[in-house]
Amino acid sequence: MEERRRASWISGSILVRGDVVSTEDLVIDGQVQGTIDMGGHVLTIGPSASVVADLDAKEVTISGKVVGSVMGSARVELKATASVDGDVTSPKFVMEDGATLKGKVDTGKK
């Protein structure tokens, strides 16, 4: 039997100002202004989300708008609808056609 991961959700009608710290996976479809620290968990920024924050998670998938630095300890993926204004740091980086990035990418590889 496959283990199902628990996840929290910030819906489209919610605005969070301040630090978000989660000990489980998180999906954001609303607005967040501050910082998001996920530790070893997965962060998903939905297509309708607007985030002005520095992000730190194991895996980050972005479909919406992010202004701030993005740190993925395992992987960062920008979907076709993603818009990121900030630097991305991760050992694995995927960017689909249509996504926009204004910043630098550091995969730690020389």
Side-chain angles (χ1 to χ4, degrees):
M1 181 179 215
E2 182 179 320
E3 179 182 333
R4 185 173 175 165
R5 292 184 70 130
R6 245 176 73 173
S8 294
W9 180 47
I10 296 175
S11 73
S13 61
I14 296 176
L15 165 62
V16 175
R17 289 189 180 129
D19 299 334
V20 176
V21 179
S22 182
T23 57
E24 62 186 25
D25 296 349
L26 178 64
V27 177
I28 298 175
D29 285 321
Q31 297 180 55
V32 176
Q33 300 170 357
T35 63
I36 302 172
D37 184 358
M38 301 293 299
H41 298 279
V42 176
L43 175 62
T44 303
I45 307 294
S48 61
S50 178
V51 176
V52 180
D54 292 335
L55 315 179
D56 189 348
K58 179 180 179 183
E59 295 183 19
V60 181
T61 301
I62 301 172
S63 298
K65 181 178 179 179
V66 173
V67 176
S69 64
V70 179
M71 171 65 171
S73 61
R75 174 187 170 100
V76 171
E77 180 175 359
L78 305 185
K79 297 293 192 178
T81 56
S83 169
V84 176
D85 186 350
D87 296 341
V88 176
T89 304
S90 182
K92 185 167 185 180
F93 176 70
V94 178
M95 184 172 170
E96 292 182 356
D97 287 344
T100 61
L101 171 65
K102 183 178 180 181
K104 67 179 181 177
V105 176
D106 181 354
T107 60
K109 300 176 183 174
K110 300 276 179 188

